[in-house]
Amino acid sequence: MDMHVVLTPAPSATARLADTRRELRGALPAERTTRLTKLAYAIRRADLAMISKAGQGHIGGDYSAADIVTTLYFAILNVDPENPHWPERDRFVLSKGHAAGILYSTLAHAGFFDKAELTTFMEPLSPLNGHPNRRKVPGVETNTGPLGHGFPVAVGMATAAKLDNSTRRTFVLTGDGELQEGSNWEAAMSASQQRLGRLTVIVDRNRFQQGAATEKTSGLEPLNAKWAAFGFDTHVVDGHDHEALYQALSEQRPLTGRPRCLIADTVKGKGVSFIEDRVEWHHKVPSAEQTTAALEELTR
């Protein structure tokens, strides 16, 4: 494989994504939930196939974030797969970069590149590496992997938007264990000081990190109060309730004002019973038998 390969959008991706986004925004809540749920499970199935084939990945954290990322890409973000560097696009930063699998699967389903490329996940020289690479994967806004880096970059993006007097929005998804990195709180202070009203940080609050529960490692509670103390407009939301996510994420925000934090209560491994809420699935690969069983649970 050519090490300089850059993925390209699927044909007519822009129109398809724009149609889906318009339909979902205009749908009744029950219909919107049904469609987003089906999309999220298709994205989970593709992620399962990627990880099973590669023998590597972070399926637990991928699945806790799946409903959040699905709702963002198909109902919220103003992005264009065929023009991924459009200056006025909304920005999404996956700060928990080890969950690259769920981002790749979502980007492929949204048309940023052909779904067939997902079979190359983690292969030598594949653009779809274990952490996202903005120079090789359209739709990736910044390289992430070292925890605590993505949120500060997103604050920079939101700052640039404000300086441009632009209405584009910036969303960033962090892991809860990632919040033990002090760089996040420095970024939070900066965002509050600069009154970045169109910045939203979403915390994937699945309560596990590699090896242990977050509260046993370095406790984060009271997390809601901490974000509020840092000057954020803070809310708790069910991270697997598509309608609740849609309503929270589609809220109109001022260009200048308090930045926002959504603490999304999630379940690690959501969607597969034997993976859910199990710390060992942070970085565990399902066997062939487990893959078959998981696929049965994810087929709906």
Side-chain angles (χ1 to χ4, degrees):
M1 181 180 294
D2 181 355
M3 68 182 297
H4 300 295
V5 130
V6 178
L7 299 179
T8 55
S12 304
T14 298
R16 290 201 306 274
L17 182 60
D19 287 346
T20 299
R21 193 165 52 225
R22 182 172 56 253
E23 291 166 3
L24 287 173
R25 288 175 178 175
L28 294 173
E31 180 189 354
R32 185 163 46 235
T33 295
T34 297
R35 291 188 60 180
L36 285 170
T37 298
K38 287 182 178 179
L39 275 166
Y41 271 77
I43 287 166
R44 282 183 172 93
R45 290 194 297 272
D47 185 69
L48 173 68
M50 290 164 57
I51 290 172
S52 296
K53 180 178 183 294
Q56 301 181 65
H58 293 81
I59 197 167
D62 285 3
Y63 280 15
S64 64
D67 297 308
I68 298 166
V69 180
T70 300
T71 302
L72 278 167
Y73 273 92
F74 291 95
I76 302 296
L77 295 176
N78 290 320
V79 291
D80 182 350
E82 294 182 88
N83 188 11
H85 301 297
W86 171 44
E88 286 304 300
R89 70 191 182 279
D90 290 336
R91 269 61 166 181
F92 171 69
V93 173
L94 179 71
S95 195
K96 48 176 277 182
H98 56 280
I102 206 66
L103 178 60
Y104 296 154
S105 182
T106 303
L107 289 172
H109 280 77
F112 282 84
F113 56 88
D114 195 286
K115 293 177 189 175
E117 296 288 349
L118 296 175
T119 62
T120 72
F121 178 58
M122 297 296 286
E123 288 185 359
L125 305 182
S126 170
L128 302 180
N129 203 344
H131 294 92
N133 187 332
R134 67 177 296 274
R135 299 185 65 183
K136 295 185 177 182
V137 184
V140 172
E141 295 290 352
T142 189
N143 295 28
T144 52
L147 297 177
H149 285 200
F151 180 36
V153 172
V155 169
M157 292 174 176
T159 301
K162 186 179 178 185
L163 290 171
D164 288 344
N165 198 33
S166 170
T167 58
R168 64 183 183 262
R169 300 166 294 179
T170 303
F171 299 87
V172 56
L173 179 64
T174 74
D176 49 2
E178 181 182 9
L179 295 181
Q180 294 159 4
E181 296 283 355
S183 52
N184 289 300
W185 300 104
E186 294 178 33
M189 285 191 290
S190 177
S192 180
Q193 173 73 19
Q194 296 180 73
R195 294 182 59 75
L196 302 179
R198 293 181 75 79
L199 169 69
T200 297
V201 56
I202 308 160
V203 180
D204 182 1
R205 187 69 169 118
N206 62 36
R207 292 177 171 76
F208 283 110
Q209 59 195 92
Q210 184 168 322
T214 56
E215 299 310 292
K216 290 184 178 179
T217 304
S218 184
L220 295 168
E221 295 297 342
L223 190 54
N224 193 332
K226 283 178 176 152
W227 281 101
F230 272 75
F232 278 64
D233 183 8
T234 308
H235 305 277
V236 178
V237 65
D238 182 341
H240 302 300
D241 183 331
H242 290 284
E243 185 60 21
L245 287 166
Y246 175 78
Q247 293 299 332
L249 293 167
S250 61
E251 177 187 326
Q252 294 300 308
R253 305 291 297 177
L255 183 62
T256 298
R258 287 162 62 90
R260 179 174 54 165
C261 174
L262 298 182
I263 299 172
D265 278 329
T266 61
V267 175
K268 195 141 189 163
K270 177 67 174 179
V272 178
S273 59
F274 58 86
I275 297 177
E276 286 185 354
D277 218 25
R278 301 284 296 272
V279 69
E280 64 267 29
W281 284 97
H282 177 86
H283 198 309
K284 183 178 177 180
V285 176
S287 65
E289 294 77 13
Q290 288 172 325
T291 297
T292 299
L295 186 60
E296 289 179 0
E297 293 192 31
L298 294 171
T299 301
R300 53 166 65 189

